[in-house]
Amino acid sequence: MALVSLQELSIGFGGDPLLDKVNLQIEAGERICLVGRNGTGKSTLMKLLAGEIQPDSGRLLRAEGVKVARLSQEIPKTLNGTVYDVVVSGLGELLELLARYHGATLKVAQDHDEVALTELAAISEEIEIAGAWQVQQRVELVMTKLQLDSEELVATLSGGLKRRVLLAKSLVAAPDLLLLDEPTNHLDIEAIIWLEEFLLNSSQTIFFVTHDRKLLKKLATRIVDLEGGRITSWPGDYGNYLRRKAEMLHAEEMQNDRFDKKMAREEVWIRRGIKARRTRNEGRVKALLEMRSERGRRREKTGQVQMEISRAGTSGKLVAVCEKAAFAYSKKLVINNLTTTILKGDKIGIIGPNGAGKTTLLKLLLGELAPASGTIRLGTNLEVLYFDQQREQLDEDRTVFDNLGDGNDTIEINGHQRHLISYLKDFLFTPDRARSPVRILSGGERNRLLLARLFAKPANILILDEPTNDLDIETLELLEELLADYQGTLLLVSHDREFINNVVTSTLAFAENGMIQDFAGGYDDWLMQRPSGESAAGLVVGCKQKNEKAIKPRTTKPRKLSFKEQAELEKLPAILENLEKEQQKLYADMADPSFYQTENNQVATAKNRLLVIDKELKEGYARWEELEGISESSG
């Protein structure tokens, strides 16, 4: 059953429409991930689904009684009341009842008198009759897992904590359709993992945007791609989407190439025809005019970000040496007995819960803070660039151009002078956008601007504090490639597990009581090496570990492929290639309208065969990866 249906829907705000006669159905129980570049209209589509704005044309139909809740990237300017007030504000009829219960609970805790206890008992009975205990439990669970203090005033919180409050409000409302726009921003890894499980175990229909590829892969049952005003839908997992999207783009490229060649021939014909004779084939002229119109309507694919880091002189071999370093705020121990060495060229990930002290660690390593005990010795010739997650280096009231140029029209990148407009185009800023004030930019655009500003300055040490927030996946993958090839030293704070895996060579993980453990590899490597009993996001400060001795991972001699497995590995590529060819043929057959005029059993057979092929491909690629892994580990 379709909860929401979009029919020939269009909307735009000047220029090309963001949505151009799109059609989309959202069925009950689906978990749909919306992907697309920054600025393509993902948030606009979310607002349409939530009923916050109306389309320019077309229809948006909702099933009767459908309840929708949306978590937006933007934080409302006025959020009043306590955290609890805001979280429960979307509960409708139960709001007053739960608010009374919460107030009575606080009164009992303060007064301990008979009147307060009697009032609490009466309200508890009303909640029992209304069947609202499950809702109250959900409120308490969500607020606990998102580390929210119910009595704090929302107006006093940071932007990141306000986003958590709004996420909690969306989750406890239990709508029929839950719209989540970048739900993992400002969450630590432990909270992200909990959110994954919470959403997987929910029966809600979920439509979400995320740059967190692990969340996407685990959660999505369908991918919806928004590009150039068009929507394409891809059933199945993210890997299936990437493979089939690449095939579609290749076919589209070939088709456009054939079209352009034909149009060029027709243009030559009409010019020759004018010179040769006064009468021409009017039907052919009309067809050419239609081709010109079609070519004019074609939208070119958005360009890719072109990133380049300015090179500086090399630092000394030693970047930092820490020996039993410790640091505390008042009586709270944040860093305890840190002993580690950072060498030139190291790429180090730093992971831990929010508030554990990751930013403090960065400041110690930068020399901005001095350790309370122990020593931190910095190397020589260090030229540092720091990406702060709050983007405080950007002036909101100045334009993009002025933020980058500081009054200059040109900029020097690795010895070459470039005009600022040309350089900004590499980061997907049009000349008009380059003249816009920073305050109107989206989160993704601000991140791209800060990266453009930092990469223009020579450095041999990059410190990136949550650089992935709000970036689209394509830009994120390009940033990964750039950092993987970076010759300097990198310190990366991130809660993006996939990003850490793909970039760093070692990891500093926060444990209990300010202890920091050093592991080789990225997030997944840390999961395998971490002490038994430790949570997947590092130990929460204050929790006691049952087994205080670190359990070293067992080292086993890697086994070799058997003769049978070696033969299987050699045959797999051909088997997978044949399956993909059969899959492509079925897709091509089913794209032909005449295919559906055949007998019904032929259509059903084709669809069933596609399902079988999808399953066999997934299993085949998994088996290939497994055998390749065994082969590589055995040398």
Side-chain angles (χ1 to χ4, degrees), residues 225-241:
D225 189 314
L226 175 57
E227 183 176 3
R230 297 185 305 164
I231 279 181
T232 50
S233 179
W234 308 85
D237 59 24
Y238 184 60
N240 180 62
Y241 155 73

Side-chain angles (χ1 to χ4, degrees), residues 138-325:
R138 186 164 67 243
V139 170
E140 292 173 355
L141 171 67
V142 169
M143 290 180 63
T144 300
K145 292 297 184 179
L146 294 180
Q147 300 169 19
L148 296 173
D149 183 343
S150 63
E151 294 311 303
E152 278 196 278
L153 292 175
V154 177
T156 65
L157 300 180
S158 66
L161 282 174
K162 286 179 181 176
R163 278 267 302 173
R164 285 188 177 220
V165 173
L166 294 172
L167 174 59
K169 176 185 174 181
S170 301
L171 296 179
V172 303
D176 303 301
L177 175 60
L178 179 58
L179 307 173
L180 299 174
D181 198 347
E182 293 290 1
T184 61
N185 277 2
H186 307 290
L187 296 186
D188 57 32
I189 292 177
E190 189 168 25
I192 292 171
I193 292 171
W194 171 80
L195 180 63
E196 279 180 359
E197 295 303 320
F198 183 90
L199 295 176
L200 276 172
N201 295 325
S202 168
S203 60
Q204 293 169 300
T205 305
I206 304 166
F207 192 88
F208 66 104
V209 174
T210 186
H211 67 267
D212 189 316
R213 287 156 293 176
K214 276 192 176 287
L215 180 83
L216 193 165
K217 292 172 184 177
K218 192 166 185 179
L219 204 59
T221 58
R222 176 156 66 111
I223 309 293
V224 168
D225 189 314
L226 175 57
E227 183 176 3
R230 297 185 305 164
I231 279 181
T232 50
S233 179
W234 308 85
D237 59 24
Y238 184 60
N240 180 62
Y241 155 73
L242 290 176
R243 186 171 61 252
R244 291 175 59 186
K245 174 76 181 291
E247 293 169 359
M248 185 200 78
L249 289 176
H250 178 68
E252 194 175 86
E253 202 174 295
M254 299 286 288
Q255 182 180 347
N256 287 340
D257 187 52
R258 288 193 295 269
F259 178 92
D260 292 342
K261 287 178 179 177
K262 181 180 178 182
M263 183 174 167
R265 290 195 300 268
E266 293 301 290
E267 293 285 2
V268 171
W269 169 80
I270 198 166
R271 285 194 295 272
R272 287 176 179 172
I274 289 171
K275 294 177 181 178
R277 56 188 181 280
R278 297 180 68 86
T279 59
R280 300 186 302 279
N281 184 333
E282 293 301 325
R284 195 169 174 181
V285 173
K286 184 179 180 182
L288 176 57
L289 293 175
E290 289 176 354
M291 289 176 74
R292 287 175 177 172
S293 177
E294 182 179 341
R295 181 64 182 84
R297 290 192 302 270
R298 186 197 301 171
R299 291 208 199 173
E300 301 296 341
K301 189 177 185 297
T302 306
Q304 289 188 339
V305 174
Q306 304 293 322
M307 296 183 187
E308 180 184 7
I309 302 177
S310 290
R311 295 183 293 272
T314 58
S315 65
K317 185 174 181 180
L318 286 175
V319 173
V321 179
C322 306
E323 295 181 0
K324 298 183 178 179

